[in-house]
């Protein structure tokens, strides 16, 4: 018998025994090592996604681990392989899939939301979701490949180019990762973030930051760019004020990339879009090439994943970790250690 962290109702998680069965055709069984808690997991914890999530639900989609068993007809994988998972299962028949955009399939199964996730000691997934990890990459760092893939996709959607000026509004984990990936693409980046702790972490990573409560961000952008405005802005805050800032800082023909999930409609200055011929692009999830690039960026240290990890807790303490993230404070990324050796684990 193994253990899993389950969401059972709003603000209610438990750690319960979970059955482990042999992988079927085209499937592999994994032993998750580390699983990150992300903003979507917190939305589920708050009960905001009850219309989508079937309880009890095993959470988690930011993970690293090893292959334990392979099912029939699985080729190219063997027990012991270090992997992460691109947690998407698409139908390959809908209009989005037929046009080559499987990652936004109109009937997408996002594994860890729509089906059981990685926050358990054994996890069976389609072999098609596996992404190989270098043996030299520590598995705790590898747990940040998935959010890094989000950032890679976002920077690609925005078309960030060498020498461009980029403003990232929101300095949480994904915002900082976007800033790092954009910088690696040659951009000059500024991060706008209210939290002093998050600004300090970004600055330790060599990123310039602004506190929107203390300075006039659009005015600073005008000074920084010689009144031209930013080429690209990323809205990662999820707040109405963040949307306003992201629009205001853009120069002529600037691009706004919407990354944050806004649970309700927002007012937006459409006159600004008309007057400056701005472009708005949405960015959701990732494809395999984004994942493979993310693996490379984490492995070579371009994304110093270890410096974004605030805390690692055993699987049995995951419910308390959700509450700690919800409380905010000096926390960026918490990982759940799902290994059999974790304190309190049952096998």
């Amino acid at each position: 018998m193994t253990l899993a962290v389950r969401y059972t109702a709003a603000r209610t998680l438990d750690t319960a025994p979970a059955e482990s069965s042999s992988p079927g055709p085209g499937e592999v069984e994994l032993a998750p090592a580390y699983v990150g808690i992300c903003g979507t997991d917190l939305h589920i914890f708050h009960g905001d996604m009850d219309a989508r999530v079937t309880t009890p639900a095993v959470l988690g989609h930011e993970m690293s681990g090893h292959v334990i068993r392979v099912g029939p007809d699985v080729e190219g994988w063997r027990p012991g392989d270090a992997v992460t998972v691109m947690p998407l299962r698409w139908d390959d028949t809908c209009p989005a899939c037929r046009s080559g955009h499987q990652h936004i399939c109109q009937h997408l199964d996002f594994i860890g939301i729509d089906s059981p996730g990685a926050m358990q000691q054994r996890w069976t997934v389609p072999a098609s979701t596996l992404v190989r990890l270098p043996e030299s990459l520590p598995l705790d760092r590898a747990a940040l490949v998935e959010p890094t893939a989000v950032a890679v996709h976002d920077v690609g959607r925005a078309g960030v180019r060498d020498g461009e000026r980029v403003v990232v509004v929101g300095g949480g984990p994904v915002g900082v990762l976007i800033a790092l990936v954009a910088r690696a693409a040659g951009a000059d980046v500024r991060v706008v973030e209210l939290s002093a702790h998050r600004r300090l972490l970004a600055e330790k990573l060599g990123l310039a930051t602004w506190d929107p409560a203390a300075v006039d961000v659009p005015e600073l952008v005008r000074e920084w760019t010689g009144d031209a405005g930013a080429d690209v802005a990323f809205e990662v805050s999820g707040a109405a004020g963040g949307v306003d800032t992201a629009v205001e800082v853009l120069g002529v023909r600037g691009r706004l990339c919407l990354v944050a999930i806004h649970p309700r409609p927002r007012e937006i200055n459409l006159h600004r879009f008309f007057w400056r011929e701005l472009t708005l692009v949405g960015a959701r999830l990732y494809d395999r090439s984004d994942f493979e690039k993310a693996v490379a960026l984490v492995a070579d240290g371009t994304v110093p994943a270890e410096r974004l990890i605030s805390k690692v807790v055993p699987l049995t303490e995951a419910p308390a970790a959700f509450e700690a993230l919800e409380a905010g404070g000096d926390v960026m990324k918490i990982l759940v250690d799902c290994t059999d050796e974790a304190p309190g684990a049952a096998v």
Side-chain angles (χ1 to χ4, degrees), residues 24-43:
E27 294 182 332
V28 295
E29 184 181 18
L30 305 179
Y34 297 96
V35 180
I37 303 173
C38 80
T40 302
D41 297 321
L42 284 177
H43 283 305

Side-chain angles (χ1 to χ4, degrees), residues 37-341:
I37 303 173
C38 80
T40 302
D41 297 321
L42 284 177
H43 283 305
I44 295 172
F45 176 64
H46 293 152
D48 297 336
M49 299 177 68
D50 281 358
R52 180 175 172 183
V53 174
T54 300
T55 56
V58 180
L59 305 184
H61 56 271
E62 302 179 358
M63 66 80 63
S64 63
H66 289 104
V67 174
I68 295 299
R69 292 187 286 181
V70 299
D73 304 323
V74 172
E75 297 181 356
W77 299 102
R78 57 184 174 80
D81 285 342
V83 298
T84 184
V85 165
M86 186 175 76
L88 309 180
R89 185 188 288 118
W90 49 81
D91 64 15
D92 235 0
T93 62
C94 74
C97 287
R98 294 200 306 270
S99 64
H101 305 303
Q102 289 91 342
H103 71 289
I104 47 174
C105 169
Q106 289 163 233
H107 308 105
L108 185 69
D109 172 6
F110 191 109
I111 304 171
I113 300 176
D114 305 307
S115 57
M119 212 168 287
Q120 53 184 318
Q121 292 173 321
R122 296 292 183 268
W123 189 34
T124 299
V125 297
S128 60
T129 65
L130 299 186
V131 178
R132 194 175 302 277
L133 296 173
E135 290 295 337
S136 60
L137 178 59
L139 290 181
D140 55 349
R141 302 180 191 183
L144 272 75
V145 164
E146 193 272 352
T148 301
V150 171
V152 170
H153 186 74
D154 297 341
V155 170
R157 282 286 291 153
V160 173
R161 297 185 291 270
D162 184 28
E164 289 194 313
R165 290 187 169 97
V166 170
V167 176
V168 179
V169 182
V174 171
V176 168
L177 289 168
I178 288 171
L180 292 170
V181 174
R183 183 175 68 182
D188 190 4
V189 184
R190 300 292 184 272
V191 177
V192 179
E193 170 57 46
L194 284 166
S195 164
H197 171 72
R198 289 179 167 181
R199 288 198 311 275
L200 179 59
L201 175 59
E203 289 162 7
K204 288 180 178 178
L205 297 175
L207 297 166
T209 71
W210 289 324
D211 177 1
V215 299
D216 184 336
V217 172
E219 179 59 32
L220 287 178
V221 171
R222 283 190 286 273
E223 295 173 6
W224 173 42
T225 64
D227 203 32
D231 300 291
V232 180
F234 291 91
E235 204 308 281
V236 202
S237 72
V243 175
D244 293 341
T245 297
V247 173
E248 183 69 19
V249 300
L250 287 170
V252 169
R253 292 208 166 180
R255 289 105 65 197
L256 170 58
C257 185
L258 181 62
V259 178
I261 298 173
H262 289 259
R264 60 184 63 84
R266 302 292 191 193
E267 289 190 7
I268 190 166
N269 185 353
L270 291 180
H271 183 268
R272 187 82 168 185
F273 274 78
F274 158 75
W275 200 251
R276 294 201 165 187
E277 292 196 350
L278 304 182
T279 298
L280 171 63
V281 295
R284 178 186 170 201
L285 300 175
Y286 29 64
D287 59 26
R288 181 162 289 271
S289 65
D290 297 322
F291 245 83
E292 291 170 347
K293 183 172 181 180
V295 169
L297 291 172
V298 174
D300 70 12
T302 299
V303 171
E306 70 281 2
R307 298 175 68 179
L308 299 177
I309 299 169
S310 305
K311 191 176 184 181
V312 179
V313 302
L315 185 145
T316 51
E317 294 180 17
F322 274 76
E323 295 175 2
L325 274 174
E326 182 184 39
D330 296 348
V331 178
M332 181 66 83
K333 175 64 67 176
I334 295 180
L335 301 185
V336 176
D337 183 344
C338 295
T339 61
D340 295 344
E341 294 78 18

